[in-house]
Amino acid sequence: MHIVVCIKQVPDSAQIRIHPVTNTIMRQGVPAIINPFDLFSLEEALRLKDKVGARVTVLTMGPPMAETSLRKALSLGADDAVLLTDRKFAGSDTLATSYALTSAIQKLAEEDPVDIVFCGKQTVDGDTAQVGPGIATRLGFEQLTYITKIEDLDIASKEIVVQRRSEGGVQVLKTKLPCMITMLEGTNTIRFGKMDDLFRAARYELKTWSRDFTGAEEGRVGLKGSPTVVSKVFVPKPRAEKAKMIVADTDTPDAMAAAAIDAIFAAQPKLAGDLLARAAAGL
Amino acid sequence: MSEPSKPQGRKFQLPEHLKVYKNVWVIVEQERGIVHSVSLELLGEARKLADKLGVEVGAVVLGAESPDLNRICGDAISYGADIVYKVTDPALADYRTDPYCRVMTDVVNTHKPEIVLLGATTLGRDLAGAIATTLATGLTADCTELDIYADNRSLAATRPTFGGTLLCTIQTLAYRPQMATVRPRVMAMPERDDARTGRVIEIQPDLREEDIVTKVLNFIADREQNEAQLAFADIIVSAGKGLGKVENMKLVFDLARVLGAEVGVTRPLVQAGWATNDRQVGQTGKTVRPKLYIAAGISGAIQHRVGMEKSDLILAINTDPNATIFDFAHLGLVGDALKILPALTDAFGRRLSVNRMAG
């Protein structure tokens, strides 16, 4: 079994700040991490490796510094790592990104056929949730998104049974490999790496692949291969009016509460009626 | 026929052969006879876009033939559609990516809409990512605003980026259709109009169950909702870090009970384990638009703001008169939420139980 896990190195979004004067993103000093959603998929891949035996390859597309995230994944137990990096990929939107990653997965499959591709549910910086489905569609793999549990995997028959979160409940799906899986957050907890994996990760010689190497067409990656155009980036407009401050007769909580309720009912007379009707009905 | 175009250079002009793409579509999400409200919200939005363009609104309803499905087609017209593409096949009874993607790709290639909108739900995001790939076109996720640029009639899709700290407007200029997903409750629910008329185009794709690899073994419907129903609450009382400690969450629940409200929280409270993530309001949580949103001890970080700023009335309670939340709340109260929440609970309780003449 060969499992490929696609990961992305992202800035830790909790630490991004906007420069108050220039309104630009201040990236300096913001640490880079593996996209948190990817860790649920990586852990699930490693569990399958523990359970049924598999080779786990991690794949990322990004600048050379994305090496850090690949080594982190190796230290957690991944067997191989591929860094897809090329200036030609810069500016790729989700359609171009899924095309580039697919070209690398196909390259991997030439020497060892791929049974499962795992992707993160979405990234924390782009938030699109589009690259996983894009890869599945291009590869012609069965697409299993928002998976909460892998119930069963039968290597001999290549059948897999999963639980998938849908809006009104959980679908139990049975399908065949090859497939692309994105795991829902909170479905597992990423392990701690073992000491020998840590050493192996430090010494591991990364595979660094370019566009030429995977055979991705130049016109289908980067800005050229991206149908979407970012036409404007801006800071959310503050509302024209600030809050109307409620002033009570005295500073006691009771006086403030009474003034607040008066202000609410004055602004929303219908709400007062609704609440009274509801109270009168004894709800 | 519709081999994905392979761009050789950056293109900003719409090629001549794509100018025949017309009309604004919504892919209506139905599961077991129940329409997701986001689809109706999108029909309202599609109506506005179509009116600006001077074109029609199309609703695509997929499923197995049933009375429920016919009712949904009628609903789609009442909420703004001019044309309903009713796509029926037993294989479409439950959502599965492969048959839905194949059918939608064909229907789009045949009828050529210029804009296709979907809800940013587990179904909509799964399907949108797949068909944008087969159609080789642009897709913008989780938009908060949709508009038409008059000069080139293109869709301007605005979405938060970098966790909501910035907004960006994205366009698909040289490809069709232009695709976008929108999260539930971001757009207003349009008024239902049963006098509206429209036409239904029946489509029966030639699907064979044996060609579909994925099978649905079971569907476990969510049981009696233990999860908070934030998205549809009329009133939400929300708590932030200003509450100090987890024991004080009781004050929020007390007020919510008197008002028949739901309780919401900011992301830090979920991370601290004070509440489960089904109560989280904001960028990585739920988007809400209740009639009244009471924000207690919430500073007003942008990540929270994007999830609640479309509430009809926002009352903010904060000890800091300079807190950001007062920049976008409608009503502000400077004071200690720990003291004001119980006072509000008492006062609301009294008014609602005793004072019946106030209405």
Side-chain angles (χ1 to χ4, degrees), chain B residues 21-41:
Chain B
Y21 280 69
K22 218 171 88 174
N23 294 347
V24 182
W25 280 16
V26 175
I27 299 182
V28 174
E29 178 171 335
Q30 68 90 19
E31 227 166 5
R32 305 193 166 226
I34 298 168
V35 179
H36 198 292
S37 60
V38 70
S39 303
L40 306 178
E41 293 160 15

Side-chain angles (χ1 to χ4, degrees), chain A residues 142 145 170 172 223 229 234 246, chain B residues 10 126 167 171 214 217 332:
Chain A
E142 291 304 307
T145 54
V170 172
V172 183
L223 286 172
V229 178
F234 55 104
I246 297 166
Chain B
R10 199 94 224 259
D126 185 281
L167 293 172
Q171 294 187 275
T214 299
L217 298 185

Side-chain angles (χ1 to χ4, degrees), chain B residues 160-308:
Chain B
T161 182
F162 284 101
T165 42
L166 290 174
L167 293 172
C168 62
T169 301
I170 295 177
Q171 294 187 275
T172 297
L173 296 170
Y175 302 80
R176 288 294 179 268
Q178 307 159 87
M179 292 183 59
T181 64
V182 178
R183 286 169 58 168
R185 309 299 279 165
V186 166
M187 302 300 179
M189 178 67 76
E191 291 285 328
R192 184 189 176 98
D193 178 2
D194 286 320
R196 279 189 52 84
T197 55
R199 53 195 194 280
V200 177
I201 296 177
E202 307 244 4
I203 299 169
Q204 269 125 23
D206 193 16
L207 292 172
R208 291 189 316 173
E209 184 58 43
E210 57 267 33
D211 293 341
I212 302 165
V213 179
T214 299
K215 307 294 176 193
V216 180
L217 298 185
N218 197 1
F219 182 84
I220 308 157
D222 290 338
R223 273 175 291 141
E224 286 310 307
Q225 305 288 352
N226 274 332
E227 289 210 344
Q229 294 299 301
L230 276 184
F232 302 101
D234 276 345
I235 304 179
I236 295 173
V237 185
S238 270
K241 274 185 296 191
L243 253 70
K245 52 182 180 184
V246 65
E247 288 75 20
N248 293 331
M249 285 298 292
K250 180 180 178 298
L251 306 178
V252 179
F253 278 96
D254 285 347
L255 176 56
R257 195 172 51 248
V258 169
L259 293 172
E262 280 287 355
V263 170
V265 293
T266 59
R267 181 170 148 131
L269 297 205
V270 174
Q271 286 170 330
W274 291 16
T276 46
N277 64 1
D278 53 317
R279 296 201 180 277
Q280 186 188 326
V281 174
Q283 171 75 12
T284 51
K286 296 210 163 56
T287 303
V288 298
R289 44 190 317 153
K291 292 176 183 159
L292 173 63
Y293 190 92
I294 300 178
I298 294 176
S299 60
I302 186 71
Q303 290 83 351
H304 186 70
R305 174 182 168 173
V306 295
M308 46 67 85

Side-chain angles (χ1 to χ4, degrees), chain B residues 23-29 38-50 57-60 62 104 108 113-120 123-125 127-128 131 138-140 143 145-148 155-157 177-182 187:
Chain B
N23 294 347
V24 182
W25 280 16
V26 175
I27 299 182
V28 174
E29 178 171 335
V38 70
S39 303
L40 306 178
E41 293 160 15
L42 284 177
L43 282 169
E45 202 60 23
R47 186 73 263 161
K48 291 183 213 160
L49 297 174
V57 172
V60 189
L62 303 100
M104 273 313 307
V108 167
E114 58 197 295
I115 294 172
V116 176
L117 307 178
L118 297 95
L123 189 161
R125 286 177 142 208
L127 181 59
I131 58 181
L139 165 61
T140 307
C143 303
E145 206 185 316
L146 299 172
D147 202 359
I148 300 293
L155 177 71
Q178 307 159 87
M179 292 183 59
T181 64
V182 178
M187 302 300 179

Side-chain angles (χ1 to χ4, degrees), chain A residues 265 268-280, chain B residues 352 356 358-359:
Chain A
F265 285 175
Q268 289 273 57
K270 201 165 163 294
L271 189 69
D274 290 350
L275 277 171
L276 285 165
R278 193 180 154 277
Chain B
L352 296 178
R356 295 227 169 111

Side-chain angles (χ1 to χ4, degrees), chain B residues 85-163:
Chain B
Y85 299 90
K86 180 184 159 197
V87 189
T88 51
D89 191 288
L92 298 173
D94 280 299
Y95 176 71
R96 287 176 290 176
T97 313
D98 175 43
Y100 269 64
C101 176
R102 271 194 277 156
V103 164
M104 273 313 307
T105 304
D106 283 349
V107 175
V108 167
N109 282 334
T110 307
H111 297 274
K112 303 188 191 323
E114 58 197 295
I115 294 172
V116 176
L117 307 178
L118 297 95
T121 58
T122 55
L123 189 161
R125 286 177 142 208
D126 185 281
L127 181 59
I131 58 181
T133 308
T134 57
L135 297 167
T137 192
L139 165 61
T140 307
D142 288 10
C143 303
T144 51
E145 206 185 316
L146 299 172
D147 202 359
I148 300 293
Y149 275 170
D151 51 348
N152 57 6
R153 291 172 55 89
S154 65
L155 177 71
T158 299
R159 72 184 302 262
T161 182
F162 284 101

